[in-house]
Amino acid sequence: MKHLVFFILCLFGYILNAQVNFGLSGLTGASTFAPTCVQFGLDGNLYVSQAYGDIHIYSILRNGPNDYEVTNTEVITSINDIPNHDDDGELNPIVNNRLITGMLVKGTAANPIIYVSSSDPRTNEQDTSQLGVKSNLDTNSGMVSKLYKVGSNWERLDLVRGLPRSEEVHASNGMQLDENTNILYLAQG
């Protein structure tokens, strides 16, 4: 046991001394606001979800070292078509977008599939009136949806509804797909 503890301490010390360097690269032509998730798909495109429900798909051209530009942008808005409710279950048509907190791009280069976790975009930090009434956000509004292409159009299939979401800003986020078992794992904040 004493040797195992010594080995772990040595390994931990080595990891702490490891040097990691990151560079900065520019991407001109991107128009994303409040990005929440970023992932390259097998099709070579960059998928970027926004806090307010849209997903931007960027085709990117490398002009040189650390110099990239967007050559084409496709925007998926169908997550915002999911209706929002108040915490008592009553439909709230005034809230017309969704908070995307998780995204996983899978499928193939020819047929990408996007798994998206979303929920009511409000937080209880936001007052909805001058009287100090809180947002009344739906704390069971978490959903997982699957986006896939049919021809040139993106279709949405809602897989799971009613996932918990905190009254602040914690919601379902990280996802992984076990392709051997076809099980989608979801982190719940």
Side-chain angles (χ1 to χ4, degrees), residues 150-170:
V150 175
S152 61
N153 297 319
W154 285 93
E155 299 289 328
R156 187 189 88 233
L157 174 64
D158 298 331
L159 301 175
V160 180
R161 296 175 186 221
L163 294 170
R165 182 226 188 283
S166 80
E167 291 187 1
E168 300 304 326
V169 291
H170 300 289

Side-chain angles (χ1 to χ4, degrees), residues 26-116:
L27 178 61
T28 59
S31 60
T32 304
F33 174 74
T36 56
C37 303
V38 178
Q39 185 179 353
F40 277 100
L42 291 174
D43 55 4
N45 291 328
L46 181 64
Y47 292 72
V48 182
S49 64
Q50 294 186 149
Y52 300 105
D54 292 345
I55 298 173
H56 290 233
I57 304 172
Y58 297 120
S59 299
I60 297 175
L61 174 67
R62 183 173 191 242
N63 295 318
N66 299 321
D67 181 16
Y68 301 88
E69 78 176 281
V70 173
T71 59
N72 188 45
T73 302
E74 182 178 5
V75 180
I76 303 171
T77 61
S78 62
I79 295 298
N80 283 325
D81 295 337
I82 298 170
N84 289 293
H85 297 80
D86 288 334
D87 211 22
D88 62 4
E90 187 174 325
L91 184 64
N92 186 332
I94 295 171
V95 181
N96 56 9
N97 63 344
R98 297 283 290 178
L99 171 64
I100 295 178
T101 51
M103 180 180 70
L104 176 65
V105 181
K106 293 307 245 179
T108 65
N111 295 303
I113 296 172
I114 309 169
Y115 295 94
V116 180

